[in-house]
Amino acid sequence: MNEGLTPRRIVLPLLFALATLALWEAVVRGFAIREVLLPAPSAIAQRLVETFPLLMQHAWPTVWESLAGFAIASLLGVALAALLSTSALMRDMLYPNVVLFQLIPKIALAPLFIVWLGIGFQSRLTFSVFISFFPVVIATLAGLDHVDKSLLRLCRALTATPWQVFAAVRLPHALPYVFSGMKIATTFAIIGVIVGEFITSQAGLGYLILFASAQADTALILAAILVLCVFGLAFYGLVAGLERWMQQKFGA
């Protein structure tokens, strides 16, 4: 049975979340905390219902830009990792630079993408790809490098081509690593888009959060963050589902 779907793993987190919300509600009401500082969960839920059409309107650009950024980053990350794994020359030339870029505080570079690409979605999409690209590269390369050496020797003995070795041996065995990197990239892709929306945007959940902050509408801020969390969980679930399907298909 898939451990990820056991009742224990579903019920316990839900119970803990409900207990946390109940405690939150009690603290806010018991200490009469002003809504502008910390609204109660019931107030956030009410604001969520009141502004649901507005939230969905602003969620759409954030969702599609995050999905597009994640998809592009995943494809580029796997492709670059495959290149680095199969070519010693390219690995020696590019990998140190990949590590160097990984060490850069990428959030600080967001304004540069606005300068280079303008205030449209191109800058947000590119920045999303930029910060979610590296986890996929690093994780995929680790997976491709940890293939059983005896299998590689067998492939050479059978005169398999490099592409056949990659498609039949390296990639299937690296799938757990690939999807580990992709799961991290899902979060980074959303962060990249939100940061871009904070800097320059007239739509999106990041823009709505800034707008609500200017209005001191804390309940709306938390409602928007809740929508982001739901979207992020759904995004992560899609990747996890794809991982299970790929593992069944390749027997990994």
Side-chain angles (χ1 to χ4, degrees):
M1 182 177 181
N2 192 326
E3 292 185 359
L5 298 178
T6 59
R8 177 188 177 89
R9 289 178 176 264
I10 296 174
V11 173
L12 287 181
L14 286 176
L15 290 176
F16 179 79
L18 290 174
T20 302
L21 290 174
L23 178 62
W24 179 354
E25 184 85 23
V27 169
V28 171
R29 292 183 179 275
F31 288 93
I33 300 175
R34 289 187 302 161
E35 186 171 311
V36 70
L37 294 178
L38 182 64
S42 58
I44 298 170
Q46 181 180 352
R47 197 76 176 105
L48 175 65
V49 173
E50 293 172 349
T51 61
F52 188 76
L54 179 66
L55 288 166
M56 292 301 99
Q57 176 186 341
H58 284 279
W60 167 241
T62 302
V63 167
W64 85 257
E65 289 172 12
S66 299
L67 288 172
F70 167 76
I72 295 171
S74 297
L75 291 174
L76 291 177
V78 172
L80 179 58
L83 177 63
L84 297 179
S85 178
T86 56
S87 172
L89 174 63
M90 297 302 294
R91 186 183 189 119
D92 292 341
M93 181 171 61
L94 295 179
Y95 188 70
N97 293 292
V98 171
V99 175
L100 175 64
F101 275 107
Q102 174 71 0
L103 297 176
I104 295 175
K106 289 173 277 297
I107 299 298
L109 299 179
L112 288 176
F113 284 82
I114 306 300
V115 173
W116 294 333
L117 299 173
I119 63 174
F121 76 91
Q122 296 89 344
S123 57
R124 296 189 295 274
L125 178 60
T126 305
F127 185 66
S128 176
V129 172
F130 177 68
I131 72 169
S132 57
F133 167 77
F134 297 101
V136 180
V137 175
I138 301 301
T140 302
L141 185 58
L144 293 173
D145 286 345
H146 283 79
V147 178
D148 190 344
K149 301 303 180 184
S150 62
L151 289 176
L152 298 179
R153 288 194 294 269
L154 176 62
C155 290
R156 285 194 293 269
L158 296 174
T159 65
T161 65
W163 168 249
Q164 290 174 327
V165 174
F166 176 81
V169 178
R170 286 186 178 274
L171 184 58
H173 283 77
L175 281 179
Y177 293 84
V178 175
F179 280 100
S180 293
M182 290 173 65
K183 288 173 182 176
I184 298 173
T186 58
T187 301
F188 281 17
I190 299 172
I191 291 173
V193 172
I194 294 298
V195 169
E197 290 174 349
F198 281 164
I199 297 174
T200 172
S201 178
Q202 294 184 340
L205 291 174
Y207 166 78
L208 186 60
I209 289 171
L210 281 184
F211 176 81
S213 177
Q215 302 296 318
D217 192 344
T218 309
L220 180 57
I221 294 173
L222 292 174
I225 292 174
L226 177 61
V227 172
L228 273 174
C229 290
V230 172
F231 163 62
L233 286 173
F235 200 177
Y236 186 93
L238 287 174
V239 174
L242 178 61
E243 178 183 17
R244 287 193 295 270
W245 180 81
M246 291 289 287
Q247 288 176 339
Q248 291 172 359
K249 180 177 178 64
F250 287 98

